[in-house]
Amino acid sequence: MKSLNRVLVLFIGLLFFNTVVSAQTSNSLYQVSTINAVLQGVYDGQMNMKELKQHGNFGIGTFEGLDGEMIALDGQFYQVKSTGNVVLVSDQVKTPFADVMDFKPEKTAEISDVLTFNELEKALDGIIQDKNYIYAIRIDGVFSGTTRSIPGKTKPYPSLTDAAKTQSVFDIQNTKGTIVGFLCPQYINGINVTGYHLHFISDDRKSGGHILSGGIKSGIVKIERITDFRMILPNSDAFQQAVLNKDYSKELNGVEKSK
């Protein structure tokens, strides 16, 4: 009888654990640090890729020292370097800022002849039709536009505004690939990039980066609404001393979009 009771307790415990895990991962976004910290030059790695992969198979971010652009797609984590090269990232590489999740699209739509980033935003607005939730976005299609990647920095780290002055800009035309990113509402200001934050990677894994401008000739859009948002903060003197309680919207817009 005691053995049966132990088995029942174990079964109930496992059932509860699986329920909790399921609740944690459904429509859940996991974030490392804040965008205001990145703007202030908090670039030390806080989590390695092996750990980050445990929280999602889809997302964007950057790497220690602000070394390039991150694209996580179908469980593979890529780094677009400032040279333009795209490489798979080893598990030991760390990130100071990232957003990842297990992407499970809830809505699919088609777009075509979207020539500019502004037109792309409007097309996505028409599909999402919501200003109050964070949305994960995947677009598979033919991209034309410009992307960027910033070369890695050493200490003392510059601000993101100064670091972006050394960015490499890539002209990508009529290239099949995938856009990965997020839409964040205005109330997320300071925590994440408000509006659309999108990265691109080509199907042949030879080009990509943070999208500065451009659109989609034709593509399939998949979206997922985020209802569970979790964030870890850096445990560092740099984060503690950073001036984070300011509105850096102007500075952020200056480095997120093409001038």
Side-chain angles (χ1 to χ4, degrees):
M1 188 64 179
K2 288 183 179 180
S3 296
L4 179 59
N5 287 339
R6 283 197 293 269
V7 171
L8 286 173
V9 169
L10 178 61
F11 174 79
I12 293 171
L14 288 172
L15 183 63
F16 174 78
F17 175 78
N18 288 333
T19 301
V20 171
V21 168
S22 177
Q24 289 174 339
T25 57
S26 178
N27 302 94
S28 178
L29 178 65
Y30 186 87
Q31 180 169 312
V32 178
S33 192
T34 73
I35 195 62
N36 270 6
V38 176
L39 276 163
Q40 294 301 295
V42 183
Y43 305 150
D44 283 339
Q46 299 301 312
M47 178 176 290
N48 64 36
M49 293 300 104
K50 184 177 181 180
E51 296 172 290
L52 190 63
K53 288 176 182 178
Q54 296 175 13
H55 299 283
N57 57 17
F58 173 98
I60 58 177
T62 187
F63 300 96
E64 186 162 36
L66 204 68
D67 187 15
E69 306 290 341
M70 178 194 300
I71 299 103
L73 181 62
D74 298 328
Q76 299 293 327
F77 283 65
Y78 300 93
Q79 178 184 20
V80 180
K81 292 178 168 288
S82 60
T83 59
N85 292 336
V86 180
V87 299
L88 278 169
V89 185
S90 71
D91 284 348
Q92 289 71 42
V93 173
K94 292 185 176 182
T95 177
F97 178 82
D99 287 296
V100 297
M101 66 181 300
D102 287 324
F103 185 65
K104 299 174 183 177
E106 300 168 324
K107 186 176 182 179
T108 301
E110 295 185 19
I111 58 174
S112 61
D113 298 321
V114 176
L115 303 179
T116 68
F117 196 85
N118 184 253
E119 290 178 7
L120 180 58
E121 289 177 318
K122 289 180 179 179
L124 292 173
D125 283 346
I127 295 167
I128 295 172
Q129 297 183 350
D130 187 353
K131 298 294 184 182
N132 291 332
Y133 287 92
I134 301 172
Y135 278 84
I137 301 163
R138 172 175 178 161
I139 309 174
D140 295 288
V142 179
F143 172 77
S144 291
T146 59
T147 65
R148 71 104 185 275
S149 180
I150 298 174
K153 304 303 177 187
T154 56
K155 293 181 178 180
Y157 293 133
S159 68
L160 181 58
T161 300
D162 287 337
K165 294 175 182 177
T166 67
Q167 69 186 11
S168 298
V169 177
F170 312 112
D171 184 37
I172 299 175
Q173 297 298 320
N174 297 317
T175 301
K176 289 185 67 176
T178 302
I179 291 175
V180 173
F182 298 92
L183 168 65
C184 289
Q186 186 60 39
Y187 64 78
I188 299 295
N189 183 34
I191 296 174
N192 207 318
V193 178
T194 59
Y196 293 97
H197 184 187
L198 307 174
H199 290 189
F200 173 77
I201 188 167
S202 62
D203 281 354
D204 62 11
R205 304 301 189 250
K206 292 183 178 180
S207 61
H210 169 96
I211 296 178
L212 294 173
S213 65
I216 291 287
K217 182 177 180 180
S218 61
I220 304 297
V221 179
K222 297 177 182 180
I223 62 172
E224 180 179 354
R225 176 190 284 182
I226 308 301
T227 55
D228 181 12
F229 177 58
R230 303 176 183 217
M231 180 172 64
I232 65 163
L233 298 177
N235 182 17
S236 67
D237 292 340
F239 184 84
Q240 186 175 19
Q241 295 165 10
V243 181
L244 304 179
N245 296 317
K246 286 180 62 178
D247 184 358
Y248 294 106
S249 301
K250 184 177 180 180
E251 292 87 342
L252 185 58
N253 189 60
V255 298
E256 290 297 302
K257 303 282 182 70
S258 181
K259 296 181 176 64

